[in-house]
Amino acid sequence: NDRFLTSLEILPSLVAAAGSQVRDDIHLDGYDWWNAVRGADSPRHAMFWKRRDHLAARVGHWKWVSKGKTGGLFNLADDIHEANDQSDAHPEILARMKKRFSEWTDEMESAEPRGPFRDF
């Protein structure tokens, strides 16, 4: 299906399939995907990435990508292959996506380190 799901949903979904629960003191970034796989809306509405100089944000059907000197803004509802950069046509959406990415970055910087991948 075309629901907004990521690999972050694997662990919570497997825990649910096993009939178990995650401890209350553990916060997972993913969601149980079973209802979405069966056709319900996904609880995920946004996703952010950062690896070296590759940055990306997806909020709803909009996706912003920055790969050093390349990238763009894409409407995945109309352009699943990310072929048509919409940055010039929708500067207000581009600004909003960059703002959301910046807020996520601030949130991650203020979070306690979680394992050996802090300095990616």
Side-chain angles (χ1 to χ4, degrees):
N1 70 39
D2 63 355
R3 301 298 188 262
F4 189 175
L5 301 170
T6 73
S7 60
L8 293 174
E9 277 70 73
I10 293 173
L11 179 60
S13 302
L14 292 176
V15 169
S20 190
Q21 294 181 349
V22 177
R23 292 187 343 224
D24 289 339
D25 64 329
I26 296 176
H27 173 77
L28 297 177
D29 293 330
Y31 304 98
D32 176 353
W33 67 19
W34 297 113
N35 288 335
V37 168
R38 292 180 184 108
D41 288 336
S42 172
R44 179 169 299 287
H45 301 284
M47 182 77 187
F48 304 92
W49 300 261
K50 179 179 178 183
R51 185 168 188 270
R52 297 187 183 110
D53 66 342
H54 293 189
L55 316 174
R58 178 172 173 195
V59 179
H61 59 83
W62 287 100
K63 183 176 178 183
W64 166 69
V65 179
S66 175
K67 298 178 185 177
K69 296 181 180 186
T70 64
L73 176 70
F74 305 97
N75 180 347
L76 299 179
D78 300 328
D79 181 19
I80 194 69
H81 300 290
E82 301 175 20
N84 301 303
D85 183 2
Q86 298 291 310
S87 298
D88 292 337
H90 297 283
E92 72 288 352
I93 295 173
L94 178 61
R96 189 169 55 224
M97 297 293 282
K98 288 181 176 183
K99 182 176 186 288
R100 291 284 305 271
F101 182 86
S102 178
E103 291 168 351
W104 172 78
T105 300
D106 291 346
E107 180 183 347
M108 291 298 104
E109 289 299 322
S110 67
E112 292 187 32
R114 297 184 285 177
F117 305 110
R118 175 73 173 176
D119 297 320
F120 51 85

